[in-house]
PDB file of all heavy atoms in Angstrom:
ATOM      1  N   PRO D   1      80.066  40.893   3.559  1.00  0.00           N
ATOM      2  CA  PRO D   1      78.973  41.195   2.618  1.00  0.00           C
ATOM      3  C   PRO D   1      79.461  41.234   1.174  1.00  0.00           C
ATOM      4  O   PRO D   1      80.554  41.721   0.889  1.00  0.00           O
ATOM      5  CB  PRO D   1      78.493  42.578   3.076  1.00  0.00           C
ATOM      6  CG  PRO D   1      78.867  42.652   4.525  1.00  0.00           C
ATOM      7  CD  PRO D   1      80.162  41.904   4.632  1.00  0.00           C
ATOM      8  N   THR D   2      78.649  40.698   0.278  1.00  0.00           N
ATOM      9  CA  THR D   2      78.982  40.681  -1.139  1.00  0.00           C
ATOM     10  C   THR D   2      77.839  41.278  -1.944  1.00  0.00           C
ATOM     11  O   THR D   2      76.684  41.287  -1.501  1.00  0.00           O
ATOM     12  CB  THR D   2      79.253  39.253  -1.632  1.00  0.00           C
ATOM     13  OG1 THR D   2      78.115  38.418  -1.317  1.00  0.00           O
ATOM     14  CG2 THR D   2      80.486  38.663  -0.967  1.00  0.00           C
ATOM     15  N   GLN D   3      78.148  41.777  -3.143  1.00  0.00           N
ATOM     16  CA  GLN D   3      77.167  42.411  -3.999  1.00  0.00           C
ATOM     17  C   GLN D   3      76.621  41.403  -5.015  1.00  0.00           C
ATOM     18  O   GLN D   3      77.382  40.633  -5.604  1.00  0.00           O
ATOM     19  CB  GLN D   3      77.785  43.599  -4.742  1.00  0.00           C
ATOM     20  CG  GLN D   3      78.325  44.687  -3.825  1.00  0.00           C
ATOM     21  CD  GLN D   3      77.249  45.344  -2.987  1.00  0.00           C
ATOM     22  OE1 GLN D   3      76.145  45.606  -3.468  1.00  0.00           O
ATOM     23  NE2 GLN D   3      77.561  45.604  -1.719  1.00  0.00           N
ATOM     24  N   LEU D   4      75.302  41.407  -5.185  1.00  0.00           N
ATOM     25  CA  LEU D   4      74.634  40.528  -6.143  1.00  0.00           C
ATOM     26  C   LEU D   4      73.568  41.327  -6.877  1.00  0.00           C
ATOM     27  O   LEU D   4      73.143  42.387  -6.418  1.00  0.00           O
ATOM     28  CB  LEU D   4      73.985  39.328  -5.426  1.00  0.00           C
ATOM     29  CG  LEU D   4      74.924  38.365  -4.696  1.00  0.00           C
ATOM     30  CD1 LEU D   4      74.121  37.422  -3.811  1.00  0.00           C
ATOM     31  CD2 LEU D   4      75.760  37.573  -5.684  1.00  0.00           C
ATOM     32  N   ARG D   5      73.120  40.793  -8.003  1.00  0.00           N
ATOM     33  CA  ARG D   5      72.077  41.458  -8.783  1.00  0.00           C
ATOM     34  C   ARG D   5      71.015  40.442  -9.189  1.00  0.00           C
ATOM     35  O   ARG D   5      71.329  39.301  -9.545  1.00  0.00           O
ATOM     36  CB  ARG D   5      72.656  42.120 -10.027  1.00  0.00           C
ATOM     37  CG  ARG D   5      71.616  42.874 -10.882  1.00  0.00           C
ATOM     38  CD  ARG D   5      72.260  43.545 -12.083  1.00  0.00           C
ATOM     39  NE  ARG D   5      73.109  44.654 -11.682  1.00  0.00           N
ATOM     40  CZ  ARG D   5      72.661  45.896 -11.493  1.00  0.00           C
ATOM     41  NH1 ARG D   5      71.374  46.178 -11.657  1.00  0.00           N
ATOM     42  NH2 ARG D   5      73.496  46.848 -11.159  1.00  0.00           N
ATOM     43  N   ALA D   6      69.755  40.840  -9.104  1.00  0.00           N
ATOM     44  CA  ALA D   6      68.657  39.978  -9.518  1.00  0.00           C
ATOM     45  C   ALA D   6      68.758  39.680 -11.003  1.00  0.00           C
ATOM     46  O   ALA D   6      69.218  40.519 -11.792  1.00  0.00           O
ATOM     47  CB  ALA D   6      67.321  40.624  -9.192  1.00  0.00           C
ATOM     48  N   GLY D   7      68.305  38.476 -11.367  1.00  0.00           N
ATOM     49  CA  GLY D   7      68.370  38.079 -12.765  1.00  0.00           C
ATOM     50  C   GLY D   7      67.019  37.948 -13.416  1.00  0.00           C
ATOM     51  O   GLY D   7      66.874  37.278 -14.449  1.00  0.00           O
ATOM     52  N   GLY D   8      66.001  38.593 -12.848  1.00  0.00           N
ATOM     53  CA  GLY D   8      64.677  38.518 -13.435  1.00  0.00           C
ATOM     54  C   GLY D   8      63.599  38.867 -12.423  1.00  0.00           C
ATOM     55  O   GLY D   8      63.875  39.178 -11.266  1.00  0.00           O
ATOM     56  N   ILE D   9      62.357  38.814 -12.871  1.00  0.00           N
ATOM     57  CA  ILE D   9      61.205  39.175 -12.051  1.00  0.00           C
ATOM     58  C   ILE D   9      60.885  38.057 -11.056  1.00  0.00           C
ATOM     59  O   ILE D   9      61.056  36.872 -11.349  1.00  0.00           O
ATOM     60  CB  ILE D   9      59.983  39.444 -12.949  1.00  0.00           C
ATOM     61  CG1 ILE D   9      60.230  40.700 -13.791  1.00  0.00           C
ATOM     62  CG2 ILE D   9      58.718  39.620 -12.135  1.00  0.00           C
ATOM     63  CD1 ILE D   9      60.354  41.971 -12.961  1.00  0.00           C
ATOM     64  N   ALA D  10      60.407  38.432  -9.883  1.00  0.00           N
ATOM     65  CA  ALA D  10      59.979  37.455  -8.881  1.00  0.00           C
ATOM     66  C   ALA D  10      58.765  36.688  -9.382  1.00  0.00           C
ATOM     67  O   ALA D  10      57.863  37.258 -10.006  1.00  0.00           O
ATOM     68  CB  ALA D  10      59.638  38.176  -7.574  1.00  0.00           C
ATOM     69  N   THR D  11      58.730  35.380  -9.115  1.00  0.00           N
ATOM     70  CA  THR D  11      57.617  34.532  -9.551  1.00  0.00           C
ATOM     71  C   THR D  11      57.001  33.821  -8.351  1.00  0.00           C
ATOM     72  O   THR D  11      57.705  33.409  -7.429  1.00  0.00           O
ATOM     73  CB  THR D  11      58.087  33.490 -10.578  1.00  0.00           C
ATOM     74  OG1 THR D  11      59.149  32.707 -10.018  1.00  0.00           O
ATOM     75  CG2 THR D  11      58.594  34.174 -11.839  1.00  0.00           C
ATOM     76  N   SER D  12      55.695  33.659  -8.392  1.00  0.00           N
ATOM     77  CA  SER D  12      54.965  33.023  -7.303  1.00  0.00           C
ATOM     78  C   SER D  12      55.220  31.516  -7.285  1.00  0.00           C
ATOM     79  O   SER D  12      55.424  30.889  -8.330  1.00  0.00           O
ATOM     80  CB  SER D  12      53.470  33.291  -7.451  1.00  0.00           C
ATOM     81  OG  SER D  12      52.721  32.515  -6.544  1.00  0.00           O
ATOM     82  N   LEU D  13      55.177  30.932  -6.072  1.00  0.00           N
ATOM     83  CA  LEU D  13      55.286  29.479  -5.947  1.00  0.00           C
ATOM     84  C   LEU D  13      53.992  28.785  -6.360  1.00  0.00           C
ATOM     85  O   LEU D  13      53.975  27.570  -6.524  1.00  0.00           O
ATOM     86  CB  LEU D  13      55.632  29.085  -4.501  1.00  0.00           C
ATOM     87  CG  LEU D  13      56.988  29.534  -3.959  1.00  0.00           C
ATOM     88  CD1 LEU D  13      57.210  28.943  -2.570  1.00  0.00           C
ATOM     89  CD2 LEU D  13      58.117  29.137  -4.888  1.00  0.00           C
ATOM     90  N   GLY D  14      52.916  29.540  -6.507  1.00  0.00           N
ATOM     91  CA  GLY D  14      51.640  28.938  -6.876  1.00  0.00           C
ATOM     92  C   GLY D  14      50.870  28.441  -5.666  1.00  0.00           C
ATOM     93  O   GLY D  14      51.379  28.407  -4.544  1.00  0.00           O
ATOM     94  N   ALA D  15      49.615  28.053  -5.882  1.00  0.00           N
ATOM     95  CA  ALA D  15      48.745  27.611  -4.799  1.00  0.00           C
ATOM     96  C   ALA D  15      49.346  26.389  -4.091  1.00  0.00           C
ATOM     97  O   ALA D  15      49.927  25.520  -4.738  1.00  0.00           O
ATOM     98  CB  ALA D  15      47.361  27.264  -5.362  1.00  0.00           C
ATOM     99  N   PRO D  16      49.228  26.338  -2.758  1.00  0.00           N
ATOM    100  CA  PRO D  16      48.557  27.301  -1.878  1.00  0.00           C
ATOM    101  C   PRO D  16      49.478  28.395  -1.356  1.00  0.00           C
ATOM    102  O   PRO D  16      49.160  29.052  -0.380  1.00  0.00           O
ATOM    103  CB  PRO D  16      48.089  26.405  -0.731  1.00  0.00           C
ATOM    104  CG  PRO D  16      49.213  25.429  -0.585  1.00  0.00           C
ATOM    105  CD  PRO D  16      49.701  25.156  -1.997  1.00  0.00           C
ATOM    106  N   CYS D  17      50.637  28.576  -1.981  1.00  0.00           N
ATOM    107  CA  CYS D  17      51.618  29.571  -1.519  1.00  0.00           C
ATOM    108  C   CYS D  17      51.780  30.677  -2.557  1.00  0.00           C
ATOM    109  O   CYS D  17      52.897  31.091  -2.875  1.00  0.00           O
ATOM    110  CB  CYS D  17      52.958  28.894  -1.241  1.00  0.00           C
ATOM    111  SG  CYS D  17      52.851  27.514  -0.073  1.00  0.00           S
ATOM    112  N   GLU D  18      50.656  31.142  -3.098  1.00  0.00           N
ATOM    113  CA  GLU D  18      50.719  32.107  -4.194  1.00  0.00           C
ATOM    114  C   GLU D  18      51.269  33.467  -3.763  1.00  0.00           C
ATOM    115  O   GLU D  18      51.684  34.268  -4.607  1.00  0.00           O
ATOM    116  CB  GLU D  18      49.340  32.293  -4.834  1.00  0.00           C
ATOM    117  CG  GLU D  18      48.221  32.639  -3.878  1.00  0.00           C
ATOM    118  CD  GLU D  18      47.584  31.413  -3.242  1.00  0.00           C
ATOM    119  OE1 GLU D  18      47.897  30.296  -3.671  1.00  0.00           O
ATOM    120  OE2 GLU D  18      46.772  31.589  -2.326  1.00  0.00           O
ATOM    121  N   ASP D  19      51.298  33.754  -2.464  1.00  0.00           N
ATOM    122  CA  ASP D  19      51.841  35.016  -1.985  1.00  0.00           C
ATOM    123  C   ASP D  19      53.312  34.909  -1.596  1.00  0.00           C
ATOM    124  O   ASP D  19      53.864  35.833  -0.993  1.00  0.00           O
ATOM    125  CB  ASP D  19      51.040  35.527  -0.786  1.00  0.00           C
ATOM    126  CG  ASP D  19      49.676  36.061  -1.198  1.00  0.00           C
ATOM    127  OD1 ASP D  19      49.500  36.362  -2.400  1.00  0.00           O
ATOM    128  OD2 ASP D  19      48.787  36.170  -0.341  1.00  0.00           O
ATOM    129  N   THR D  20      53.932  33.788  -1.917  1.00  0.00           N
ATOM    130  CA  THR D  20      55.367  33.608  -1.690  1.00  0.00           C
ATOM    131  C   THR D  20      56.059  33.621  -3.047  1.00  0.00           C
ATOM    132  O   THR D  20      55.633  32.942  -3.973  1.00  0.00           O
ATOM    133  CB  THR D  20      55.656  32.283  -0.961  1.00  0.00           C
ATOM    134  OG1 THR D  20      54.960  32.292   0.292  1.00  0.00           O
ATOM    135  CG2 THR D  20      57.136  32.110  -0.713  1.00  0.00           C
ATOM    136  N   PHE D  21      57.145  34.398  -3.160  1.00  0.00           N
ATOM    137  CA  PHE D  21      57.783  34.627  -4.447  1.00  0.00           C
ATOM    138  C   PHE D  21      59.267  34.281  -4.403  1.00  0.00           C
ATOM    139  O   PHE D  21      59.960  34.596  -3.436  1.00  0.00           O
ATOM    140  CB  PHE D  21      57.634  36.103  -4.861  1.00  0.00           C
ATOM    141  CG  PHE D  21      56.209  36.544  -4.994  1.00  0.00           C
ATOM    142  CD1 PHE D  21      55.524  37.035  -3.885  1.00  0.00           C
ATOM    143  CD2 PHE D  21      55.554  36.463  -6.202  1.00  0.00           C
ATOM    144  CE1 PHE D  21      54.210  37.446  -3.993  1.00  0.00           C
ATOM    145  CE2 PHE D  21      54.230  36.874  -6.321  1.00  0.00           C
ATOM    146  CZ  PHE D  21      53.556  37.360  -5.211  1.00  0.00           C
ATOM    147  N   GLU D  22      59.733  33.621  -5.457  1.00  0.00           N
ATOM    148  CA  GLU D  22      61.144  33.372  -5.672  1.00  0.00           C
ATOM    149  C   GLU D  22      61.726  34.482  -6.536  1.00  0.00           C
ATOM    150  O   GLU D  22      61.095  34.919  -7.495  1.00  0.00           O
ATOM    151  CB  GLU D  22      61.365  32.030  -6.370  1.00  0.00           C
ATOM    152  CG  GLU D  22      60.942  30.812  -5.568  1.00  0.00           C
ATOM    153  CD  GLU D  22      61.171  29.527  -6.338  1.00  0.00           C
ATOM    154  OE1 GLU D  22      61.200  29.592  -7.585  1.00  0.00           O
ATOM    155  OE2 GLU D  22      61.313  28.474  -5.705  1.00  0.00           O
ATOM    156  N   VAL D  23      62.929  34.910  -6.188  1.00  0.00           N
ATOM    157  CA  VAL D  23      63.616  35.933  -6.977  1.00  0.00           C
ATOM    158  C   VAL D  23      64.891  35.316  -7.544  1.00  0.00           C
ATOM    159  O   VAL D  23      65.757  34.873  -6.785  1.00  0.00           O
ATOM    160  CB  VAL D  23      63.972  37.163  -6.126  1.00  0.00           C
ATOM    161  CG1 VAL D  23      64.733  38.189  -6.966  1.00  0.00           C
ATOM    162  CG2 VAL D  23      62.712  37.786  -5.536  1.00  0.00           C
ATOM    163  N   PRO D  24      65.028  35.234  -8.870  1.00  0.00           N
ATOM    164  CA  PRO D  24      66.251  34.668  -9.445  1.00  0.00           C
ATOM    165  C   PRO D  24      67.451  35.574  -9.186  1.00  0.00           C
ATOM    166  O   PRO D  24      67.410  36.761  -9.504  1.00  0.00           O
ATOM    167  CB  PRO D  24      65.936  34.570 -10.944  1.00  0.00           C
ATOM    168  CG  PRO D  24      64.866  35.599 -11.173  1.00  0.00           C
ATOM    169  CD  PRO D  24      64.066  35.667  -9.906  1.00  0.00           C
ATOM    170  N   VAL D  25      68.498  34.997  -8.584  1.00  0.00           N
ATOM    171  CA  VAL D  25      69.731  35.736  -8.315  1.00  0.00           C
ATOM    172  C   VAL D  25      70.889  34.880  -8.806  1.00  0.00           C
ATOM    173  O   VAL D  25      71.243  33.880  -8.168  1.00  0.00           O
ATOM    174  CB  VAL D  25      69.896  36.055  -6.819  1.00  0.00           C
ATOM    175  CG1 VAL D  25      71.207  36.828  -6.577  1.00  0.00           C
ATOM    176  CG2 VAL D  25      68.704  36.852  -6.291  1.00  0.00           C
TER     177      VAL D  25
END
């Protein structure tokens, strides 16, 4: 296991997958 930190806010993939979010790491 390794430690990582998010690099920003999660963003939606947009329609039709607006409830799926990418998190920059």
